[in-house]
Amino acid sequence: MTNVAIFGAAGYGGIELIRLLLNHPEVTVTYLGGHSNVGEELTDLYPHLLGDLQVEVGPSSVPEALADATVLFSALPHVVGASLVAEALETGAKVIDFSADFRLRDPAVYARYYAEHPAPQLLAEAVYGLPELHRAEIRNACLLAVPGCYPTGAILALAPAVKAGLVEPRGLIVDSKSGVSGAGRTKLTLGTHFAEINDSVNAYGVASHRHQPEMEQELSFEEPAQVTFTPHLIPMTRGILTTAYARLSPGVNREQVEAAYQEFYAGEPFVRVLPWGKQPATKHVSGANRCHIGLVIDELARLLIATSAIDNLIKGLSGAALQCFNLMQGLPETLALDRPAMWP
Amino acid sequence: MTNVAIFGAAGYGGIELIRLLLNHPEVTVTYLGGHSNVGEELTDLYPHLLGDLQVEVGPSSVPEALADATVLFSALPHVVGASLVAEALETGAKVIDFSADFRLRDPAVYARYYAEHPAPQLLAEAVYGLPELHRAEIRNACLLAVPGCYPTGAILALAPAVKAGLVEPRGLIVDSKSGVSGAGRTKLTLGTHFAEINDSVNAYGVASHRHQPEMEQELSFEEPAQVTFTPHLIPMTRGILTTAYARLSPGVNREQVEAAYQEFYAGEPFVRVLPWGKQPATKHVSGANRCHIGLVIDELARLLIATSAIDNLIKGLSGAALQCFNLMQGLPETLALDRPAMWP
Amino acid sequence: MTNVAIFGAAGYGGIELIRLLLNHPEVTVTYLGGHSNVGEELTDLYPHLLGDLQVEVGPSSVPEALADATVLFSALPHVVGASLVAEALETGAKVIDFSADFRLRDPAVYARYYAEHPAPQLLAEAVYGLPELHRAEIRNACLLAVPGCYPTGAILALAPAVKAGLVEPRGLIVDSKSGVSGAGRTKLTLGTHFAEINDSVNAYGVASHRHQPEMEQELSFEEPAQVTFTPHLIPMTRGILTTAYARLSPGVNREQVEAAYQEFYAGEPFVRVLPWGKQPATKHVSGANRCHIGLVIDELARLLIATSAIDNLIKGLSGAALQCFNLMQGLPETLALDRPAMWP
Amino acid sequence: MTNVAIFGAAGYGGIELIRLLLNHPEVTVTYLGGHSNVGEELTDLYPHLLGDLQVEVGPSSVPEALADATVLFSALPHVVGASLVAEALETGAKVIDFSADFRLRDPAVYARYYAEHPAPQLLAEAVYGLPELHRAEIRNACLLAVPGCYPTGAILALAPAVKAGLVEPRGLIVDSKSGVSGAGRTKLTLGTHFAEINDSVNAYGVASHRHQPEMEQELSFEEPAQVTFTPHLIPMTRGILTTAYARLSPGVNREQVEAAYQEFYAGEPFVRVLPWGKQPATKHVSGANRCHIGLVIDELARLLIATSAIDNLIKGLSGAALQCFNLMQGLPETLALDRPAMWP
């Protein structure tokens, strides 16, 4: 049994993690730290937890949090949580960080998209928490960076083809469609006001979104990848559908592509490659720590069109964190995660 | 470990039951019987189950179904499944029936709302599967009738007050708002076409809906209850919010009402009475086998306004079925059901 | 041609009025006054008006507004706009006020639900802007109070029966289901956050909502009416469906009820009584200045169940304001308003 | 005043046309012909038209339809309506056809995507009804083909750049997100069932959709265009957002792109090019015969990312038809069409 603490417990990432952990046979949540909700009862903020968890949100204090716990999940905003992460690591605790702070290996890239890096000394030991690419390092990680939601969908859609050299690593186009929960709970804006986003869709952050360098970093195998990324907000609560376009290398055919994806994901507990031509839907993975992938080739354009569907709050956030936790603790990777989507 | 068979496996009730059973440590699903989908792969119908269950839908044949199983869940439409239920019971199997066939004790009432009763000889042994009212009988049941979704919400909202004599059992008004999944998956109509129901709401079956006599039957304690029932279809997938109005008996005050609800639901694992004045939302119970109840008194009108929220496919259908199954099998009542809602 | 000014132009009421007025052949909008958006381009706030109206939001200043205009639409919040209304009236302008300030005739009732009345001296001349009840007074009004959205739906559903003495004026129950736009644009709350209200429904303000006394005032014909009001928020943008329950007076039958509604609404340009038993849907009136009404009798309970559907921002707000404006200006009542709903 | 007849009046295209024509000062609708709804009252099918139009749906018979009318709008499915179109043209009537039958100039291409062409002899005289490209021909057209909804969005987004040679006409990628009304009303499928598409998104017809050759035809100016097209279904009723990717020709910069779009759409009544970097949303044009266009350059990838938003049933269908009708009749092009979106 492992005792864990959660910072940023009252955001969507924190609360989804709590839901998953309530069903985890090897975890006890011993501390919830908040940001703006210190002193409030968790069930006042989240009545759906009535009867599950009678606990007050405490301050995001490392000594208090780690009094009983040995693993800290930090779901605080980027920059804000970095010094706490450093403090926690110094005590010997393991840290699983939901923010962008430890995803990018190059602090210069981080600085371009976020801010001066708050703890560059930790970058060397941070591990990017995508088990499908970094399972071995994750098992040994003390500081784990949970991948961004969009990058998770994009990387899982493209990595097998890029890694196998079946497509050009430059000129990749990632067109993603996300539900509104990706915007979080804390900052209320007109853009997440029901009356304004319901029955509407728009692109945002076109060719300038912070998740683009993360995709490029993880898709750079032999050669550096270059990605054009267009996120869209669509009127649904959860889910990201990613439609990725990649130029096929000369001579590459469907059989090679299909084989590469089957091989890459052979044995992966949470990724399913659909039969050729079938398309994933976000509802097929809503509520599940899964990724479904669809493959099509446009022969005339010599393009691979790979689509992926994830639940942005599970495989794209809290489920991924828990999957990594299981690996870091030497537990079965699928513990508390092996459930299908809720349908409909 | 119990082997179970499911008829009507490809409807929303069946598929939700399968999802819940996948997580049940004491159950193996050994047979899936269908209606219109015989011979199809379940995962062709429901890609969200890819990797969970590789099985073909068979015919709804009792001998085939009970070759390995000792409990039959029948989610076939009313009348259609009744003879199969009878056939299954004769073999000594237990049957949990999702249809309306065995909910109403009086076949004349059934005939008025549905059809000539297809198996009246079984009515005497059928148990109405609402554990909050009939737990003892459920434990001993061989034929269990899963309550209707609307009645579940209405009865849980009103039963404590009616039973305690705090409100008049006549003149009850039940105004319910249901998500679209309640209409099922089989019959596609304009009324469930996204473009027509999205951003709209309407009442239907006003004062003539089949679930009304079920509410009256179960709310008749000392005296016969009389209910006016108005269901509404609203643009959401899951959930029923019920707003129930009942005339307070002379002299009754808030303290008495609150005490009656607290007492009635003391120890109930799946019903939460909210602090006075707080209102439930269907999202608070979406994905959970739970019912949240809110209470308000309009003193001037001398009305109790009791609201309840359930997930129509879980506490209102498949979760209720599983809760009863657990009781019938002598298992812990909350097995595979003790999870909070998914938020958001 | 009439020049009009609008205060609170950047709220949903203001912007919907602007849309309607753009199509009005006898109106020129000469001034837009704001609250928190002074100095901003209207099309920066509302890109859907690109090319229609290139204008900056000015301060809510009466002299500036009435420099060119003779009618002021004030869509400012209650209390906030009252002194400006008084100032405008003194100049001889006509004022159409969207707030609650001049709806209730009794300042004591206003004080109970809102605040000390900011301009009680104006109450005597204010006219309640529901043409179906007060057309003659509206024609002569200088100060018009636009009815609340919920009261419009409730009063239109019940007035014919109550006025004709076919139902008891006490013990009325109004159960309303509203889209989220009713909450306005200015105050962003978790309750209007897409991720929290999508796929959910809840009651609020049960038996304590401010619109209740407005319903009672307007439904008091021979005798004082008494209403229990339960509003609900449902996941759609526009529309209110009202389900109203009233106890039939002894001996009253369907024919009498039907005749009363047909007579009451004979010649009304914007109210349609549906064939007996048919139910209105909010989508049938979405985008239209219309009200559809459905009627059912529950004979056993001796209840009339009258349902009404309106678009809360048109017949429930800006369309009603324009309908009254047309009457006050001696124009055809349906000018710029005679359009059906957009379907689907 | 022109008398017009409509075939396929009971589909979404027909009913939206009727709504627009009700407000057209120079048109009288004299005949409604149906497909599966002959003999039904239009208001039984569409209660939102109660009081507007009391008319029975007749057969799709050309002699009956053209007894009083001189223009026929045919909204029948492709192939089905072609012989009626031919018959109507022979009488000297003008025909505006909503189907795909007369959009593609090459019957071999038509045959590849649809069927053997039912009336190839008419292709020479058919005009593609996109006024922004073909206004002069439209003025003189007798047979007008209303463009497909996806092509309208894609062509308007890309044509200025392609025509000016600023981007490569090959390797164009069109990633579109459509509301569900695009699937029509007649064929009910699981894919349009509220419970299945709500809160979900998926691609379909990837690299094989029928609208792709239409885009290629209209984007072939100097050189043949080649388009990879990926449509997606998203949970909203109306609207298409198109995200188009095109490779910039060497040396092309932002100023040239901006100038090309401004020039191309100068004077266009229904297209607005947004300020550089601003993104359109479908809600900004919902209910309007408009197209909003946003432009971004990804300098590193040397890609132009052009986004467009339309209402698929108006600028993408019935509004376009009416715009062409106005041109064909020598009426002001904006008659009955010059209204902004409904907000919110």
Side-chain angles (χ1 to χ4, degrees):
Chain A
M1 186 68 67
T2 305
N3 289 346
V4 309
I6 305 174
F7 285 175
Y12 286 152
I15 212 68
E16 183 67 353
L17 180 64
I18 289 168
R19 182 179 75 91
L20 295 170
L21 291 177
L22 282 173
N23 208 46
H24 196 296
E26 300 291 336
V27 171
T28 305
V29 179
T30 55
Y31 191 85
L32 298 184
H35 193 50
S36 61
N37 305 109
V38 175
E40 295 190 63
E41 274 292 329
L42 192 69
T43 52
D44 284 346
L45 299 168
Y46 289 104
H48 71 286
L49 293 176
L50 267 172
D52 297 302
L53 208 63
Q54 204 63 27
V55 62
E56 206 177 86
V57 178
S60 289
S61 148
V62 170
E64 291 190 43
L66 299 185
D68 296 315
T70 56
V71 177
L72 172 65
F73 291 91
S74 174
L76 295 169
H78 62 88
V79 178
V80 172
S83 63
L84 301 173
V85 168
E87 185 184 347
L89 287 170
E90 275 166 33
T91 71
K94 294 179 186 172
V95 178
I96 295 175
D97 185 58
F98 286 48
S99 84
D101 288 345
F102 304 103
R103 296 176 191 159
L104 295 168
R105 281 189 297 271
D106 183 343
V109 175
Y110 181 92
R112 198 148 64 237
Y113 284 88
Y114 296 91
E116 186 68 20
H117 198 287
Q121 75 284 4
L122 297 178
L123 290 177
E125 61 172 304
V127 175
Y128 192 82
L130 198 66
E132 292 79 6
L133 285 180
H134 304 291
R135 184 168 283 108
E137 304 97 296
I138 292 168
R139 286 193 208 278
N140 299 314
C142 286
L143 171 52
L144 187 121
V146 180
C149 52
Y150 285 123
T152 296
I155 297 163
L156 292 178
L158 286 170
V162 177
K163 192 174 184 202
L166 302 177
V167 298
E168 307 293 332
R170 300 191 63 78
L172 301 170
I173 293 177
V174 172
D175 188 294
S176 297
K177 298 86 182 164
S178 173
V180 181
S181 63
R185 194 191 207 216
T186 317
K187 288 177 298 180
L188 299 171
T189 66
L190 275 176
T192 61
H193 186 10
F194 184 91
E196 309 247 328
I197 183 61
N198 185 36
D199 254 301
S200 193
V201 50
N202 62 276
Y204 69 99
V206 181
S208 60
H209 193 278
R210 290 163 163 185
H211 283 174
Q212 185 174 311
E214 206 176 316
M215 298 176 194
E216 290 174 339
Q217 168 182 293
E218 295 298 316
L219 290 171
S220 294
F221 296 97
E222 304 289 293
E223 297 170 70
Q226 177 267 316
V227 173
T228 295
F229 173 48
T230 315
H232 299 77
L233 201 60
I234 69 173
M236 62 182 195
T237 301
R238 287 173 174 237
I240 292 179
L241 188 84
T242 297
T243 313
Y245 302 87
R247 281 197 291 271
L248 288 168
S249 302
V252 170
N253 61 25
R254 167 182 157 174
E255 285 65 32
Q256 289 168 279
V257 171
E258 210 161 8
Y261 278 79
Q262 291 297 352
E263 186 186 339
F264 195 95
Y265 290 123
E268 282 298 337
F270 297 121
V271 181
R272 278 108 169 102
V273 181
L274 301 184
W276 191 268
K278 294 275 181 189
Q279 287 298 320
T282 55
K283 206 180 190 79
H284 295 155
V285 296
S286 188
N289 189 53
R290 296 185 182 179
C291 178
H292 282 194
I293 292 176
L295 299 169
V296 171
I297 284 180
D298 182 339
E299 190 49 63
L300 206 60
R302 293 291 297 159
L303 279 179
L304 171 64
I305 306 169
T307 45
S308 71
I310 58 169
D311 183 319
N312 60 309
L313 295 178
I314 306 188
K315 185 61 182 162
L317 193 57
S318 304
L322 185 51
Q323 187 179 352
C324 291
F325 168 88
N326 285 339
L327 289 168
M328 290 161 73
Q329 298 298 106
L331 297 166
E333 188 170 347
T334 60
L335 214 55
L337 287 172
D338 194 20
R339 292 174 65 96
M342 194 162 77
W343 190 275
Chain B
M1 187 69 66
T2 304
N3 290 346
V4 309
I6 305 175
F7 284 175
Y12 286 152
I15 213 67
E16 183 67 353
L17 179 65
I18 289 169
R19 183 179 75 90
L20 295 170
L21 290 178
L22 282 173
N23 208 45
H24 196 296
E26 299 291 337
V27 170
T28 305
V29 178
T30 55
Y31 191 85
L32 298 184
H35 193 51
S36 61
N37 306 109
V38 175
E40 295 189 63
E41 274 292 329
L42 193 68
T43 53
D44 285 345
L45 300 168
Y46 288 103
H48 72 286
L49 292 177
L50 267 172
D52 296 303
L53 207 67
Q54 206 61 28
V55 61
E56 206 178 86
V57 178
S60 289
S61 146
V62 170
E64 291 189 43
L66 298 185
D68 296 314
T70 56
V71 177
L72 171 66
F73 291 91
S74 174
L76 296 170
H78 63 86
V79 177
V80 172
S83 62
L84 301 173
V85 168
E87 185 184 347
L89 287 170
E90 275 166 32
T91 73
K94 294 179 186 174
V95 178
I96 295 174
D97 185 58
F98 285 48
S99 83
D101 288 346
F102 305 104
R103 295 176 191 158
L104 295 168
R105 279 190 298 271
D106 183 344
V109 175
Y110 182 92
R112 197 148 65 237
Y113 282 87
Y114 296 91
E116 185 68 20
H117 199 288
Q121 76 283 5
L122 299 178
L123 290 176
E125 61 173 302
V127 175
Y128 191 80
L130 198 66
E132 292 80 6
L133 285 179
H134 303 292
R135 185 169 283 110
E137 303 97 296
I138 293 169
R139 287 192 208 277
N140 298 314
C142 287
L143 170 53
L144 186 120
V146 180
C149 52
Y150 285 123
T152 296
I155 297 163
L156 292 178
L158 286 169
V162 177
K163 191 173 184 203
L166 302 177
V167 297
E168 307 293 331
R170 301 191 60 79
L172 301 170
I173 293 178
V174 172
D175 189 293
S176 296
K177 298 86 181 165
S178 173
V180 181
S181 63
R185 194 190 206 214
T186 318
K187 288 178 298 179
L188 298 171
T189 66
L190 276 176
T192 61
H193 186 9
F194 184 92
E196 309 247 329
I197 184 61
N198 185 36
D199 254 300
S200 193
V201 49
N202 62 275
Y204 68 100
V206 181
S208 59
H209 192 280
R210 290 162 164 186
H211 283 175
Q212 186 173 311
E214 208 177 316
M215 299 176 193
E216 290 174 339
Q217 169 181 295
E218 295 298 315
L219 290 170
S220 294
F221 296 96
E222 304 289 293
E223 296 171 68
Q226 177 267 317
V227 173
T228 295
F229 174 48
T230 316
H232 299 77
L233 201 60
I234 70 173
M236 63 182 194
T237 302
R238 285 173 175 239
I240 292 178
L241 188 84
T242 297
T243 312
Y245 302 87
R247 282 198 289 270
L248 289 167
S249 302
V252 169
N253 61 24
R254 167 182 157 175
E255 286 65 33
Q256 290 169 279
V257 170
E258 210 162 6
Y261 279 79
Q262 291 297 352
E263 186 186 339
F264 195 95
Y265 291 123
E268 281 299 337
F270 296 122
V271 181
R272 279 105 170 104
V273 181
L274 302 183
W276 192 267
K278 295 274 181 189
Q279 287 297 322
T282 55
K283 205 180 190 78
H284 293 155
V285 295
S286 187
N289 189 52
R290 296 186 183 179
C291 177
H292 281 194
I293 293 176
L295 299 169
V296 171
I297 284 178
D298 183 340
E299 190 49 64
L300 206 61
R302 292 292 297 158
L303 279 179
L304 170 65
I305 306 168
T307 45
S308 70
I310 59 169
D311 183 319
N312 59 309
L313 295 178
I314 307 187
K315 185 61 182 161
L317 191 58
S318 303
L322 185 51
Q323 187 179 351
C324 290
F325 168 88
N326 285 340
L327 288 168
M328 290 160 73
Q329 297 299 105
L331 297 166
E333 187 170 350
T334 61
L335 213 55
L337 288 171
D338 194 20
R339 293 175 63 97
M342 193 161 77
W343 189 275
Chain C
M1 186 68 69
T2 305
N3 289 346
V4 309
I6 305 174
F7 284 175
Y12 286 151
I15 213 69
E16 183 68 353
L17 180 64
I18 288 169
R19 183 179 75 91
L20 295 170
L21 290 177
L22 282 172
N23 207 45
H24 196 295
E26 300 291 338
V27 169
T28 306
V29 178
T30 56
Y31 191 86
L32 298 184
H35 193 51
S36 61
N37 306 107
V38 176
E40 295 190 63
E41 275 292 329
L42 192 68
T43 52
D44 285 346
L45 300 168
Y46 288 104
H48 72 286
L49 292 177
L50 266 174
D52 296 303
L53 208 65
Q54 205 61 27
V55 62
E56 207 177 83
V57 178
S60 289
S61 146
V62 170
E64 291 189 44
L66 299 185
D68 296 315
T70 56
V71 177
L72 172 66
F73 291 90
S74 175
L76 295 170
H78 64 86
V79 177
V80 172
S83 63
L84 301 172
V85 168
E87 185 184 346
L89 287 170
E90 275 166 31
T91 73
K94 294 178 186 174
V95 178
I96 295 173
D97 185 58
F98 285 50
S99 84
D101 288 345
F102 305 104
R103 294 176 191 159
L104 295 168
R105 280 190 298 272
D106 183 343
V109 175
Y110 181 93
R112 197 148 66 236
Y113 283 88
Y114 296 91
E116 184 69 20
H117 200 287
Q121 75 284 4
L122 298 178
L123 289 176
E125 60 172 303
V127 174
Y128 192 81
L130 198 67
E132 293 79 6
L133 285 180
H134 304 292
R135 186 168 281 109
E137 304 96 294
I138 293 169
R139 286 193 209 278
N140 299 313
C142 286
L143 171 53
L144 186 121
V146 180
C149 52
Y150 284 123
T152 296
I155 298 163
L156 292 177
L158 286 170
V162 177
K163 192 175 183 201
L166 302 177
V167 298
E168 308 293 331
R170 300 191 61 78
L172 301 170
I173 293 178
V174 172
D175 188 293
S176 297
K177 297 88 181 166
S178 174
V180 181
S181 64
R185 196 192 208 216
T186 318
K187 288 177 296 179
L188 299 171
T189 67
L190 276 176
T192 62
H193 186 10
F194 184 92
E196 308 247 328
I197 182 63
N198 185 38
D199 254 300
S200 192
V201 50
N202 63 276
Y204 68 101
V206 181
S208 60
H209 193 279
R210 290 162 163 186
H211 283 175
Q212 186 174 311
E214 208 177 316
M215 298 176 193
E216 290 174 340
Q217 169 181 293
E218 296 297 316
L219 289 171
S220 294
F221 296 98
E222 304 289 293
E223 298 171 69
Q226 177 268 316
V227 173
T228 294
F229 173 48
T230 316
H232 299 77
L233 202 58
I234 69 172
M236 63 182 194
T237 302
R238 288 172 173 239
I240 292 177
L241 188 84
T242 298
T243 311
Y245 302 86
R247 283 199 289 271
L248 288 167
S249 301
V252 169
N253 62 25
R254 168 182 157 174
E255 286 65 33
Q256 288 168 280
V257 171
E258 209 161 8
Y261 278 78
Q262 290 297 351
E263 186 186 339
F264 195 94
Y265 290 123
E268 281 300 337
F270 297 122
V271 181
R272 279 106 170 103
V273 181
L274 301 183
W276 192 267
K278 294 273 182 190
Q279 286 299 320
T282 56
K283 206 179 190 78
H284 293 155
V285 296
S286 188
N289 189 53
R290 297 186 181 176
C291 178
H292 281 194
I293 293 176
L295 299 169
V296 171
I297 284 179
D298 182 340
E299 189 49 63
L300 206 60
R302 292 293 296 159
L303 278 179
L304 170 66
I305 307 168
T307 45
S308 71
I310 59 169
D311 183 320
N312 59 310
L313 295 177
I314 307 187
K315 187 59 181 164
L317 191 58
S318 303
L322 185 51
Q323 187 179 352
C324 290
F325 169 88
N326 285 339
L327 289 168
M328 290 161 72
Q329 296 299 105
L331 297 166
E333 188 170 347
T334 61
L335 215 55
L337 287 171
D338 194 19
R339 293 174 64 96
M342 193 160 80
W343 189 274
Chain D
M1 188 66 69
T2 304
N3 290 345
V4 309
I6 304 175
F7 285 174
Y12 286 152
I15 212 69
E16 183 67 353
L17 180 64
I18 289 169
R19 183 179 74 92
L20 295 170
L21 290 177
L22 282 173
N23 207 45
H24 196 296
E26 300 291 338
V27 170
T28 306
V29 179
T30 56
Y31 191 86
L32 298 184
H35 194 51
S36 60
N37 307 108
V38 176
E40 295 190 62
E41 275 291 329
L42 193 68
T43 51
D44 284 345
L45 300 168
Y46 288 105
H48 72 286
L49 293 176
L50 266 174
D52 296 302
L53 208 66
Q54 204 61 26
V55 61
E56 206 178 85
V57 178
S60 288
S61 147
V62 171
E64 291 189 44
L66 298 185
D68 296 314
T70 57
V71 176
L72 172 66
F73 291 91
S74 174
L76 296 170
H78 64 86
V79 178
V80 172
S83 62
L84 301 174
V85 168
E87 184 184 347
L89 287 171
E90 274 167 32
T91 72
K94 294 179 186 173
V95 178
I96 294 174
D97 185 58
F98 284 49
S99 85
D101 288 345
F102 305 104
R103 295 175 192 161
L104 295 168
R105 279 190 299 271
D106 183 343
V109 175
Y110 181 92
R112 198 148 65 237
Y113 283 87
Y114 296 91
E116 185 69 21
H117 199 288
Q121 75 284 4
L122 298 178
L123 290 177
E125 60 172 303
V127 174
Y128 191 82
L130 198 66
E132 292 79 6
L133 285 180
H134 303 292
R135 187 170 281 109
E137 303 97 295
I138 293 168
R139 285 194 210 278
N140 298 314
C142 286
L143 171 53
L144 187 122
V146 179
C149 53
Y150 285 123
T152 296
I155 297 163
L156 292 177
L158 286 170
V162 177
K163 192 175 184 202
L166 301 178
V167 298
E168 307 293 333
R170 300 191 62 77
L172 300 170
I173 293 177
V174 172
D175 189 293
S176 297
K177 297 88 182 165
S178 174
V180 182
S181 64
R185 195 191 209 216
T186 317
K187 287 177 298 180
L188 298 171
T189 67
L190 275 176
T192 61
H193 186 9
F194 184 92
E196 308 247 327
I197 184 60
N198 185 37
D199 253 300
S200 193
V201 50
N202 62 277
Y204 68 100
V206 181
S208 61
H209 193 278
R210 291 163 164 186
H211 283 176
Q212 186 173 310
E214 208 177 316
M215 298 176 193
E216 290 175 338
Q217 169 181 294
E218 295 298 315
L219 289 171
S220 295
F221 296 96
E222 304 289 293
E223 296 172 67
Q226 179 268 315
V227 173
T228 295
F229 173 49
T230 315
H232 300 77
L233 201 59
I234 68 173
M236 63 182 193
T237 302
R238 286 173 174 239
I240 293 177
L241 188 84
T242 297
T243 311
Y245 302 87
R247 282 198 289 269
L248 288 167
S249 302
V252 170
N253 62 23
R254 167 182 158 174
E255 286 66 33
Q256 289 167 280
V257 171
E258 210 162 5
Y261 277 80
Q262 291 297 350
E263 187 185 339
F264 195 95
Y265 291 123
E268 281 299 337
F270 296 121
V271 182
R272 279 109 170 99
V273 181
L274 302 184
W276 192 268
K278 294 275 181 188
Q279 287 299 320
T282 55
K283 206 180 189 80
H284 294 154
V285 296
S286 187
N289 189 52
R290 296 186 183 177
C291 178
H292 281 195
I293 293 175
L295 299 169
V296 170
I297 284 179
D298 183 339
E299 190 49 62
L300 207 61
R302 292 293 296 159
L303 278 180
L304 171 65
I305 307 168
T307 44
S308 70
I310 59 170
D311 183 320
N312 59 310
L313 296 178
I314 307 188
K315 187 60 182 162
L317 192 57
S318 303
L322 185 51
Q323 188 178 351
C324 290
F325 169 87
N326 286 339
L327 288 168
M328 290 161 72
Q329 297 298 104
L331 297 166
E333 188 171 347
T334 61
L335 215 55
L337 288 171
D338 195 19
R339 294 174 64 97
M342 196 161 77
W343 191 273

